[in-house]
Amino acid sequence: MSEVSSKELYEFKKTLKELSEKKGKGTELVSMYIPPDKQLSDIGKQMRDELGQSANIKSKSTRKNVQSAIEVIIQRIRMFSQPPANGLVLFVGMIPKGGPGTEKMETVVFEPPEEVQTYWYICDSTFYLEPLEDMIASKDVYGVAVIDRNEATIATLKGKRIDVVANLTSGVPGKHKAGGQSQRRFDRVIDQLAHEFLKRIGKHMNDAFLPIKDDLRGVVLGGPGHTKNDFFEGEYMQYEIKDKVLTTVDTSYTGEFGIRETISKASDVLNELDVIKEKKLVNKFVQEVRVDGLAAYGEKQVRNALQMGAVDILILSEDLKSKRVTLECTCGYQEEITQKEGQTLDEKVCPNCNEKMKPSNEEDLIENFAKIAEELGSTVEIISTETDEGMQIFRGFGGIAAILRYKV
């Protein structure tokens, strides 16, 4: 996955949550994942075949709903000459809104944030979301290398996906039984061969990781014995890669098994990186609050600073459930208000004519703030409540805070 902003990640999570809550009456919700190299003409033919096969479904209502979903898919894929760069994902099906007969066809079609790897066509009572859920964890890229005296394996880690980029063998011989001068001369040859092998590992790591250095969150080194430590302590990696080494771990294996073992043993370190980023951001904000510096919090104050262009970093809690609603009156008067979760707007009356006002548009409060921030060049950070710092923003500052460019 290319670098994904916290706002894009929030919107992606929101879409997945909405899809996960949709249930079909039977196995009539269709999920389709199309890789970018898949021929849409072949899929169109398969869907027409599926349309014929669906005539054998015994339940009349299920048969009708599946056929309707397939027809929608056929129509939608005709709109594309070929899949987008990351492929295409379609979720189509009749979603019950109440009792029998209340089903309504719903269709969600989008290009995912990461390339679709496998073609899927699945009918079930729920949408198949696992590949997309894996993509949430795929926003970060890590370099992994497992090294010992005889071999080295270099890989990248994106979410759960491991891509091995190089397998190297050293050719360094084992211990020699000779004594005296022959032994010392042989040891020097072995040391030189080992040094050349580490240089070769460093070159391959530089070649693999320097082109992606801006997206590379960190590098983890593993392996049995001390060779990995000798490699790290020596001048074998380019400094921009060496500076990204997070930890070294001892493993029992080399090769791809060693890569997986290294990732497993370093999991605590990798999981901490997002937490550390959030902590630093919140601590910076809190420090500004303490000194009455470049900070604003609460919806009214932050919205005012945002509209003045004074916000450098907008900090929003992903647990905000409020909506920004536009109310309209028949006399033409309009007003924007924030509707909190559970709050009704039935009694809101127009200040001009005293008539009841009706909502004409509503928007998720996070999306409303983020849209304004992006238009004015402010950075948006949407943080979780899984840390003490994230909970502090949510409970202590109403889930809406900002680090300012200048005081207002």
Side-chain angles (χ1 to χ4, degrees):
M1 183 186 283
S2 59
E3 187 67 24
V4 175
S5 70
S6 60
K7 176 177 175 288
E8 291 170 324
L9 185 60
Y10 166 78
E11 291 172 347
F12 189 47
K13 285 181 178 179
K14 183 182 173 190
T15 299
L16 290 191
K17 185 175 186 298
E18 290 169 353
L19 287 167
S20 71
E21 292 169 351
K22 298 183 186 299
K23 313 290 181 189
K25 196 173 61 174
T27 56
E28 52 197 45
L29 302 189
V30 180
S31 306
M32 178 174 278
Y33 291 76
I34 304 174
D37 57 354
K38 189 80 171 172
Q39 293 294 320
L40 293 180
S41 56
D42 293 342
I43 294 174
K45 181 178 182 303
Q46 181 199 345
M47 288 298 98
R48 289 189 290 274
D49 291 343
E50 289 288 342
L51 197 59
Q53 291 291 329
S54 64
N56 298 321
I57 298 173
K58 292 182 180 179
S59 166
K60 184 178 178 181
S61 62
T62 300
R63 179 171 66 248
K64 179 184 174 184
N65 290 342
V66 168
Q67 289 176 334
S68 296
I70 293 172
E71 287 169 353
V72 169
I73 289 172
I74 291 171
Q75 291 168 4
R76 287 304 181 100
I77 62 176
R78 281 176 181 160
M79 298 170 68
F80 297 86
S81 58
Q82 62 185 42
N86 283 344
L88 200 60
V89 181
L90 302 92
F91 300 103
V92 183
M94 299 291 282
I95 307 296
K97 303 299 179 183
T102 63
E103 298 89 354
K104 181 182 177 183
M105 178 63 72
E106 294 194 19
T107 306
V108 177
V109 180
F110 61 92
E111 178 184 0
E114 185 179 278
E115 185 177 308
V116 175
Q117 298 294 314
T118 306
Y119 174 68
W120 292 96
Y121 167 73
I122 296 174
C123 291
D124 206 339
S125 60
T126 58
F127 290 124
Y128 178 58
L129 303 175
E130 189 175 324
L132 294 181
E133 289 167 345
D134 287 346
M135 290 181 189
I136 291 176
S138 302
K139 61 186 182 299
D140 297 323
V141 184
Y142 297 94
V144 187
V146 59
I147 300 165
D148 80 347
R149 184 185 182 89
N150 299 312
E151 64 177 314
T153 302
I154 302 165
T156 58
L157 171 68
K158 298 180 182 180
K160 297 179 182 178
R161 178 176 166 183
I162 299 169
D163 290 320
V164 173
V165 295
N167 281 305
L168 312 172
T169 54
S170 70
V172 176
K175 291 182 179 179
H176 193 257
K177 298 294 185 182
Q181 265 190 326
S182 295
Q183 178 66 56
R184 289 192 294 274
R185 186 167 58 251
F186 194 75
D187 286 344
R188 287 196 298 272
V189 170
I190 290 176
D191 288 343
Q192 182 60 32
L193 289 172
H195 172 69
E196 292 300 323
F197 181 50
L198 296 185
K199 283 175 63 177
R200 192 151 55 94
I201 295 170
K203 181 181 184 306
H204 277 82
M205 287 183 66
N206 293 339
D207 291 346
F209 299 153
L210 279 173
I212 59 171
K213 65 180 181 181
D214 293 337
D215 296 322
L216 196 68
R217 290 289 305 275
V219 176
V220 179
L221 303 178
H226 296 287
T227 306
K228 62 183 178 297
N229 300 316
D230 295 339
F231 175 77
F232 175 64
E233 290 163 7
E235 300 298 321
Y236 300 108
M237 289 176 282
Q238 206 264 3
Y239 75 94
E240 290 175 287
I241 304 303
K242 187 172 183 176
D243 287 348
K244 288 180 179 283
V245 174
L246 303 170
T247 188
T248 60
V249 298
D250 292 321
T251 65
S252 303
Y253 299 97
T254 55
E256 192 163 344
F257 282 114
I259 291 287
R260 295 183 183 278
E261 188 182 2
T262 298
I263 292 166
S264 176
K265 290 192 170 182
S267 59
D268 288 347
V269 174
L270 303 185
N271 291 338
E272 277 292 307
L273 288 185
D274 281 333
V275 174
I276 291 168
K277 180 185 174 184
E278 284 193 2
K279 284 184 175 183
K280 285 182 178 177
L281 178 64
V282 175
N283 287 339
K284 182 180 178 183
F285 164 75
V286 171
Q287 182 60 31
E288 293 293 340
V289 172
R290 283 176 181 154
V291 299
D292 192 24
L294 300 175
Y297 56 89
E299 181 179 359
K300 185 176 180 180
Q301 189 181 6
V302 172
R303 189 179 290 276
N304 178 55
L306 198 58
Q307 290 169 340
M308 292 174 66
V311 172
D312 183 21
I313 303 173
L314 175 65
I315 305 170
L316 301 169
S317 171
E318 69 177 13
D319 278 13
L320 282 172
K321 304 300 181 187
S322 302
K323 296 184 181 297
R324 191 67 173 171
V325 180
T326 302
L327 297 175
E328 283 187 355
C329 179
T330 52
C331 74
Y333 176 79
Q334 282 191 348
E335 182 180 341
E336 272 194 6
I337 68 165
T338 296
Q339 180 186 18
K340 294 183 178 178
E341 189 176 24
Q343 179 186 1
T344 61
L345 303 175
D346 297 341
E347 303 304 317
K348 191 69 178 175
V349 296
C350 175
N352 291 342
C353 64
N354 215 34
E355 291 291 324
K356 279 189 178 181
M357 300 177 70
K358 294 184 178 179
S360 63
N361 183 55
E362 68 174 38
E363 187 177 24
D364 182 279
L365 185 63
I366 290 177
E367 293 173 358
N368 173 259
F369 263 107
K371 183 171 67 177
I372 299 169
E374 289 176 345
E375 287 172 356
L376 296 170
S378 301
T379 300
V380 181
E381 294 291 347
I382 300 173
I383 64 174
S384 71
T385 53
E386 295 176 2
T387 63
D388 290 341
E389 288 77 8
M391 188 58 75
Q392 184 180 12
I393 290 292
F394 182 62
R395 289 184 174 164
F397 299 98
I400 302 170
I403 297 171
L404 305 179
R405 297 182 175 120
Y406 54 85
K407 293 192 76 168
V408 295

